[in-house]
Every structure is written in C-alpha cells, then in structure tokens.
Amino acid sequence: MNIDMSQFQDTFLQEATENLEELEQGLLALESGDSADMNAIFRAAHSIKGGAGTFGFMPISDFTHTVESVLQMARDGELDMTADLVTALLASCDIISEMVDIAKAGGDTAEVDTKDCLATLQKFEHSDASPATDANDDDSDDNSDDPFDDGLAGLFLDSEWHITFKPKPHLPLTGSDPVNILRELKTLGIMKTIIHTEAVPTVDKLFPEELYLWWEIILTTDASESDIKDVFMFVEDDADIEVKKHDAPAQNVVQIEEPVKEEKAEPVATPMDDRREGEDRRKKQDRRQAPAGKEQQFIRVAIDKVDNLINLVGELVTTNAMVEQHAGNEEQNDTRQQQLISALQDMSMHTRNLQESIMAIRMMPVDFAFSRFPRMVRDTANKLNKKVNLVTDSGQTELDKTVIEKISDPLTHLVRNSVDHGIELPAERAAAGKPEEGTVTLRAFYKGGSVMITITDDGKGLDKEKIIAKAIENGVITSADGMSDTDIYNMIFESGFSTAEVVTDVSGRGVGMDVVRKNIQSLGGSVFIDSTPGQGSTFSISLPLTLAIVDAMATKVGGEIYMVPLLSIVESIRPTADMIQQIQGNSEVLNVRGEYLPLLRLGSAMNTPTDKYQPDPTQAIAVIIEAENEKLALVVDDLLGERQVVIKSIEKNYQSVEGISGATILGDGSVALILDLPGVIKLSKRDGRFQVPEAAAPKVTQQETTPSTEELS
C-alpha cells in the first residue's frame, strides 16, 4: 500500500522549525552557562532527523544524523561542550534551517552545501571517541545489521520487560508503521525482538494492505512502564498491547535476527511520537498553560481559518451595531420595545465576549519575537570583537500573530544597531569605568491598551553634535536652533542617515532606520528615542494589540465621520477665545493649562471645503491627541461617542491614502475613515495646513503676548 505522506509534510516542516529554535536556544544557554536540558537538546535534533527520514527529506535526515551523533557524545560526557563545538553546532542549525526553508518552497534540499560543516562536525565526532565506545563506528561487528539489537550485552539496566505487540490487520491503513514503533522502543534500552509469523496466509489469500505479523519483545531498560507505554500511545486503539515484567522466555516462537534488511538502520522516530515530544516541550515552555493538575490540550489550526473566523466576527459586530441603531430609533414607550432593547444589549455583550475570545486565538507571546535575538547578538558581538550580554523580559506579554511577524525585522535592526553603535569595545568600556561586557535589554510590557517594547543598551549613547553635523551635511536641516533633543535624535530615522565612519557588513550604509520607522508606523505604532551620553540609549516602540479591531472615538467633520483611535486621545475640550493664539505668521496654538499645543483643523487636513465644516475652534471641539511622542489639538465639529470598529484595508481595496490607516462600516451602513494620526501630522506640517483658514481668521483673537520658542518647546 502506498500512503501519500505529502499531507503530513507541512506539519513536519513547521515542527522542524520549532525544534530548531529549541535546539539553538539550548545551545546558547549551554554556552552562556545557564541551565539547559541536554536531553531536550538531543531530542530536538533526534525529532528533526526522524521526521525528515519518515517524510522523505533524506538530505535533512542524513545531515542531522551527524549533528545528533555529536550531541549524543556530548550528552554522554565523551565531548566537552566548548565554544568551538557550540559554534559548529549553531552553524549546523543554520544549514538545517536553510534546508527546511527550501523544502517549504518545494525545492531540492540536496542542493545545500553541507560539506564543510560536516567535516567540522566529524572532527569533533572522532576526536575523543574510541572504536570500543563509538556506537556509530563502522568497524563495530556486534549485530551491526540488526536495528533492534544494540549489542550492549555488558550494559546493566534496572528492569527487564516482556512486551506483546499485536497490531490489528488494518494498522497500515492508519499511516502507522510498526517497524518505526519498534525502533523507537529500541532507544529505551537493550532489546531482543521475537516475531510471530503463524498468521501469515498463503499467497493466494494474502492482502498487501493488511498486516499479519505480531511481536514479542524482551526489553532491558531503566525506563518506567509509563515511558514504554508512551511509545505505543498512538496505536493503542489499533493493536493489542501488553507490558509486564519478564518472567520466562516465550515458547513456540521463531527468533528473527534481521527483521528488516537494511544497512545499519538508525532508530527513526515516528512522526506521531516526535509530534508528541514536541508538544510536551512546548507545554513546558508555555507560560500561559493552566496551573499544575489541569491538563491543557492543543490543536493546530491553519492561520487562514482563524483569519476567516475573525472576519466573520467583525461582520457580526457591524451587524449588531446596525440592529442596535435601528432599534434605538423607534419609540421606546411600550413593553415589547423595551424587551427588544434589553435583548440587544445582551447580544451586544455576548458578541463582545465572542470577539475577544476569538481575537485571543491569534495572540502569541512576545517571546516568539524575542527568541531569535540571543543567537543574533552572539554572532554580531563576536564579529565586532565585543562582549555583549542580552537580557530579555517579555513579562508574559502577548501580541497579535501578524504584529509579531511584522515587528521582528524592525526589532532585529534596532537590536543589531545597539550592539554595533551603542556598545563600546571592551577596552573603551574599561577606560570609561564600565564592565567590559555590555548589556542590551529587550523588554515588553502593557501600557494602557497597547504594548510597549523597549531596546536599551548601556553603551555610549547618541552623539547630538555628530547627528546635527550629519543632518546639516545631508540637507535634512539648515540649523538645529530651537530643536529639542527628541527632534535631534529622531533625525537618525531619515532615509540614508548614518553617523558611522566606517561601512561594515553589519551597518554603516544609512539603510534601515527609515524602514524601521515606516514598518512600525504601518502597524499603527510609533517609535521614539531617549539617550544619555556615556550611559546608553533606549528605543521605545508602542504597538496596538491587534490589527483587526480598534477602539475609536467617532468624530464628525462636515458631512463626514472620522474615527480617532482611543489610544491616542488624551482629552477633549471646548476651546475659549483666550486659549487660542497665533504665532509665526498664520499658525495657531492652543493653551491648555500652560501647555501650548499646535492647533489643527481636521477639516483643513482632510481638504474639506471651509463652508462644510466649522472653522471656528470656539464653536467646535478640540481633541487633544498624542502621536509620535508629539501632542496637538485636533479640531472637529462634534463627538459621536466611542465605537469598536472592524478595520477594513483601503490599500488592498483601493490605494494607500496618506493620513488614513483604514476604513470601517458603521451601524447605518455608511463608511467612516480611520485616521492615521502620525500621517495626519506629517501631511499637515508638509502642506502648511496648521495655518488658519481664511474663513476662520476674524474669529481668532490675537493675544498681546506671543509665547516664545522656549515656552512652546
């Protein structure tokens, strides 16, 4: 019978990626002196090798076999886990990762050049192991062709077990291979296998898709009965299995020395066993798991199915808003109407709970984004001859899966930037009275309804004078007079900006920081910098929890409705004439308790004709917002209340619109635009829309005292 294994390959490749992450993190922990489970590291490599062999990715299996052999020697104490060995094993992780990526794309994994890495690993493999102790030595002649006999007659283990394994005839149809199960059992100790053939029919009555054999096994092992039964976990419904202490040898049976004809067959983990091991490891690492004593189960769900579910819930939220609006428009003085209103309120609450529960499915620990950086910091520091310690603190913070995927590249650039530009060379740090080893700290935490991620280094900090000089040289500014430290630091995000004196393969070309800010802003987030010369710098990133649904304030400007994200709103006020002042020609500021804020009419920013909106701020409402670490007063005609809105992409359905992050459908079926506040600010500064529209000029009073530049900053 031919079983189509392609349906399982995607699952294997995904799990191979997860096992690679565990393998890499374990190796880095060993090198840094942290506690690490060598058995878990070995099992990760073993799972990759076994699964690759099962699903036909033989180049991956063959290469990982050598990695596994080296890890086994280290686990058994035959090799010291030196820095050189860790470096070689990490290089092998890179090669396996490349192979897995090629396999995901449907390419040929045999095209990957593994020769140099294999040669390095084999030097370690044969450096200390003697022929007498090397289980993989080709000269070993003790039952070398028997995949079920280790040939370790002198090894003492605690217990001897008698195992009966009687598969039902239909077992092959389930996709399970009894030979792989026996090979997995062999990894627990010394095994003798007895095969029963009495049920095999004559050729004319034999069905190729059925199994007629069954086995008795004598297993000497220090594993527990539970460990033995776990090997048969996924076939226990399709086989008769008995595990008991061995009393006497079985009678009337034929012992087969070579049940499978193949050269030096290696123990191959079944895909189901590897999946179980991988799942157990993930449960141990998952901080969100239930308290001890409560078993938590997991299933794999394709991300497009989750996205479809979220879209359906979004439509439900919109429909619920429509029903509420129409019900509220009727007279509410009869009992039936009141009952309808009450039922709708209950439905709204249940819809909100359903929505939050489904959104939680897409939430992932920020640890997934942080896990790539220990390796990157190690390699970058070694390349630059620096000593750098990476500290991560995710605080069990979670983000939408899409946000985590899209924030990984900006974080990578910022962390690399901290190692390259921030942390000094050991000699420089020692001369400055600092420890030779610098520290980069990655931290994530909740702040209000958003997530903050900070990248902090204890290096030399940003050089303001050098930034100013470079900005003037590049034509970004003509003078830094009146600029705050924040404005100066933010110039490093300009395209092509770099203060590096030497271009290296790590950085210095001025490419990346502008892309970092652009990518963060595309997620509805913002980034700002704080730096102290000689002490270090901190890059702070603010991100929304999800990109699918946002809490917003509905505002009206003319005949249009604009949604302002609640996270950016500080307060809203009705300005009085004495609060408004004109400065620098025709621009305005709003004095809010002694703080002067630029005043921007949203109607002007959105190119609305002045006769369609209220241009006089004293007859309108000023919404105080904070975006990109900058405050301003946004003038709107009216506030319509808080709404939870489902974000619909404008770029996918129309085109990108500056100052607009998306759209949503309101309860009456009309469309409202969702503001991209950093984009609105940038657009207005560039096009001079902070200036007073002509229709509003007579209504704005000019104060006798104009605030100075120092007061405004």
Side-chain angles (χ1 to χ4, degrees), residues 271-525:
M272 288 180 292
D273 290 334
D274 284 340
R275 191 173 299 122
R276 171 170 50 81
E277 287 183 357
E279 196 62 62
D280 289 342
R281 289 192 296 273
R282 288 191 292 276
K283 288 181 182 179
K284 290 178 181 178
Q285 293 179 341
D286 192 347
R287 296 182 179 180
R288 299 170 297 162
Q289 64 179 340
K294 294 184 179 180
E295 183 178 356
Q296 195 170 21
Q297 297 180 339
F298 298 89
I299 60 173
R300 285 187 179 273
V301 181
I303 193 64
D304 58 341
K305 293 182 179 180
V306 178
D307 289 341
N308 184 54
L309 201 56
I310 290 174
N311 289 335
L312 290 174
V313 171
E315 298 299 332
L316 178 60
V317 170
T318 301
T319 304
N320 187 76
M322 291 180 177
V323 175
E324 282 186 326
Q325 179 165 334
H326 290 303
N329 288 335
E330 303 294 335
E331 293 294 332
Q332 301 181 7
N333 54 4
D334 60 29
T335 303
R336 295 186 63 184
Q337 185 69 21
Q338 292 297 330
Q339 289 175 342
L340 174 61
I341 297 297
S342 177
L344 285 172
Q345 290 173 346
D346 289 342
M347 188 174 77
S348 179
M349 179 185 68
H350 295 320
T351 301
R352 180 67 180 254
N353 291 337
L354 175 63
Q355 170 208 315
E356 290 178 352
S357 298
I358 291 178
M359 293 302 299
I361 296 175
R362 283 188 61 96
M363 304 302 284
M364 295 175 61
V366 178
D367 281 331
F368 281 92
F370 285 2
S371 62
R372 66 166 62 187
F373 297 118
R375 171 73 186 282
M376 190 205 74
V377 169
R378 173 192 184 272
D379 292 347
T380 304
N382 287 344
K383 188 176 294 185
L384 298 172
N385 296 317
K386 294 181 179 181
K387 297 179 180 179
V388 183
N389 176 41
L390 177 67
V391 178
T392 60
D393 177 16
S394 67
Q396 301 186 12
T397 309
E398 293 183 330
L399 270 173
D400 186 283
K401 180 179 185 295
T402 303
V403 179
I404 284 185
E405 290 174 347
K406 292 185 176 180
I407 197 61
S408 293
D409 286 343
L411 283 179
T412 298
H413 196 92
L414 290 175
V415 171
R416 185 183 288 117
N417 186 79
S418 292
V419 176
D420 185 16
H421 294 295
I423 302 298
E424 311 96 327
L425 290 167
E428 294 177 16
R429 292 181 62 86
K434 297 181 178 180
E436 289 190 351
E437 183 181 66
T439 300
V440 175
T441 303
L442 261 175
R443 184 168 174 252
F445 55 92
Y446 293 109
K447 183 177 181 182
S450 61
V451 169
M452 296 292 299
I453 298 179
T454 60
I455 305 98
T456 303
D457 66 74
D458 64 347
K460 57 189 175 185
L462 295 177
D463 189 330
K464 286 196 298 184
E465 298 305 320
K466 185 178 287 188
I467 292 174
I468 292 170
K470 192 68 176 181
I472 294 174
E473 178 186 333
N474 289 358
V476 177
I477 60 173
T478 57
S479 171
D481 293 342
M483 294 184 65
S484 66
D485 288 351
T486 299
D487 291 336
I488 294 172
Y489 295 146
N490 281 336
M491 286 193 296
I492 70 172
F493 290 114
E494 296 296 327
S495 179
F497 195 95
S498 176
T499 58
E501 297 176 358
V502 178
V503 175
T504 68
D505 57 350
V506 176
S507 63
R509 293 178 173 84
V511 178
M513 292 300 280
D514 58 324
V515 178
V516 166
R517 181 168 63 177
K518 181 179 179 181
N519 289 348
I520 291 172
Q521 289 176 347
S522 72
L523 295 172

Side-chain angles (χ1 to χ4, degrees), residues 39 185 207 220 273 297 329 331 389 430 496 520 534 596 651 708:
N39 289 324
L185 189 64
F207 292 93
T220 305
D273 290 334
Q297 297 180 339
N329 288 335
E331 293 294 332
N389 176 41
I520 291 172
Y596 292 94
E651 188 171 354
S708 64

Side-chain angles (χ1 to χ4, degrees), residues 521-541:
Q521 289 176 347
S522 72
L523 295 172
S526 58
V527 57
F528 47 93
I529 309 168
D530 184 28
S531 183
T532 303
Q535 298 182 24
S537 303
T538 296
F539 291 81
S540 298
I541 301 171

Side-chain angles (χ1 to χ4, degrees), residues 132 137 139-146 149-153 264:
D137 197 321
D139 295 332
S140 175
D141 56 7
D142 290 338
N143 299 313
S144 60
D145 291 330
D146 186 355
D149 188 351
D150 278 320
L152 303 176
K264 292 183 70 64

